[in-house]
Amino acid sequence: MTVNDLKHKKLVAWIEEIKALCEPDDVVVADGSKEQYDALINECVDSGLAIRLNQEKKPGCVLFHSDPSDVARVEKRTFIASEKEEDAGPTNNWIDPVELKSTLKGLYKGCMHGRTMYVIPFSMGPLGSPISKIGVEITDSAYVVCNMMIMTRVGVKVLDLLGEDGYYVPCLHSVGKPLENGETDGGKWPCAPMEHKYISQFPETREIWSYGSGYGGNALLGKKCMALRIASVLARDEGWLAEHMLILKITNPEGKSKYVTGAFPSACGKTNLAMLIPTIPGWKVETIGDDIAWMKPGKDGRLYAINPEAGFFGVAPGTSKSSNYNALAAASKNTIFTNVALTEDKDVWWEGIGYDAPGKLIDWNGNEWIQDKNNKEQKPAAHPNSRFTAPANQCPCIAPEWEDPQGVPISAILFGGRRPSTIPLVHMARNWNHGVFLGSIVGSEVTAATLDVKAGTIRRDPFAMLPFCGYNMGDYFQHWIDMGKDDQEQKNLPKIFYVNWFRKKDGKFVWPGYGDNSRVLKWIFECCDGVAKTVDTPIGIMPTIDAIDRPEGVTEEDMKELLTVDKAGWLKEVEDIRTNHYPKFGKHLPKELAAMLDTLEEALRK
Ligand code: OXD
Ligand code: MN
């Protein structure tokens, strides 16, 4: 398909403008067909950028190895370029949009020499849903096109919906590596050096300009850039919520179902929770989404959620038959793997896959790798942020209604993080504003020393949106408060819970997690029906010690540890929020949240 086939004048004009700026060799429109996907994958294999995997073991699968400098989202190089710095707020990197556009235009000039420019019309959310939004990504990466074809709905059907003048979010992307006079990548992953990487969002004009990285959230612009950063701005203006949340469906033994969303910082097991296999008999969990939820109020005052994505971009290490059977099954065919290790028979392997490395591997850097379990210093064969990009409809536990254009009505919202102490296994907010307070104080222990924060310290990550909120986080808190102003008692709005699967004692986890988290979901389900065994505490509503069915190996003592309010720990928490967290937001901090903090402290001191 070519640009001549397009009917949308504004889109054609934008494509022509970018073509003149980036100077590609040719322009191709992504039509969403399997033929086009296969042809692009073949090109990547032929040029040495991708390896076709064993077609008996992993039909339709390929493996890419990226450049060692381009392996994850780059928060330091991510910018919210609002007109006023204050509107980006204290948690975002800001550059004046005029200055940033001028810098980027300099970089984009001629950046697609020797490459094809692809135009990807995509829908975030089921085609035609009143909650969905359309975007168009221009990119010079075939890897990006193929990943977008899995992660979003791409092609002719989207163009039909767009018609001659429909609204779309323009998303511009280049790997930032022009090729001169017949030069080729020679099988090397193209990208620009770190100081030339820019992941830029322009909230007022709702534009995304990304340069220099070909990896994940930096390059698949429908995901973090559009469905979270730009969508959070749209949601504020239009009265809905764009959130970093999984969506799951839980059904009790009587066949009654509820839908739950959950926000957890990256690396807290969101995909595992979304796909868990319950250990309590008769209960069932199905998946609607594992990373992003868009929630809109319905006429009945309930919040209805869609998953704007169509695939899973999951972290591979740690994914095994026992930790997440369903994710492995989803990624068993038609999947793009990035930065995992390759076995001799052209299968994939990663740390935590559930079995030892079978013989000699090629690690994610392309070097030979033989497992040496006695060598604690051995570098991993798969990069810790290596990924699988798998179609959601291949997941055995995908809920039949996962693409319902009306969305699913949400009964409960969960917040959580990795907290070795203080935060109990679960507590429920007293009302909507208390729930917003819990979202605003989410924190998680830093596990890898790759961030600028020391491992073991707690990084506050409000609503798990720290790297994803497209405007001032204080105003975002206010937006959440405003969404509940007519239903403080949550007659229709979801109940809000704070969970913590990661309590430790003597260095060991007290709660087994994974499938056993269904026991906590059961209590949450009962709370929504008003039939749970509860006790009122200074921090909120908690289960009685016997309210949650105990998994094997968890003693009554352990349950007490998990469900007792640690007053001293919480007072430290209050102190940290008061001195280090809330002051950052200055006058943008909603007064309701400051008042909640006072109420909590008073209750703890009583
Ligand atoms: C992700 C993330 O990749 O949250 O989903 O970092
Ligand atoms: Mn995420």
Side-chain angles (χ1 to χ4, degrees), residues 1 7 13 43 136 150 224 250 262 362 416 421 446 497 566 579:
M1 195 171 186
K7 295 191 210 78
E43 267 176 40
V136 178
I150 297 175
K224 304 298 187 183
I250 177 160
I362 302 294
S421 63
V446 177
F497 300 81
D566 168 7
T579 48

Side-chain angles (χ1 to χ4, degrees), residues 91 243 263 265 415 438-443 459-467 469 473 476-477 581 584-585:
T91 57
E243 300 300 326
F415 294 115
L438 295 182
S440 78
I441 66 168
V442 165
R459 169 166 115 139
R460 296 272 165 215
D461 187 350
F463 294 78
M465 283 287 277
L466 190 65
C469 185
M473 182 72 88
Y476 164 91
F477 295 163
H581 182 44
K584 281 199 287 254
F585 304 103

Side-chain angles (χ1 to χ4, degrees), residues 73 223-224 228 244 264 266 270 290-292 468:
R73 288 187 292 101
K223 195 175 178 61
K224 304 298 187 183
L228 289 175
H244 189 207
F264 297 79
S266 307
K270 238 164 71 233
D290 80 326
D291 197 37
I292 301 177
F468 307 124

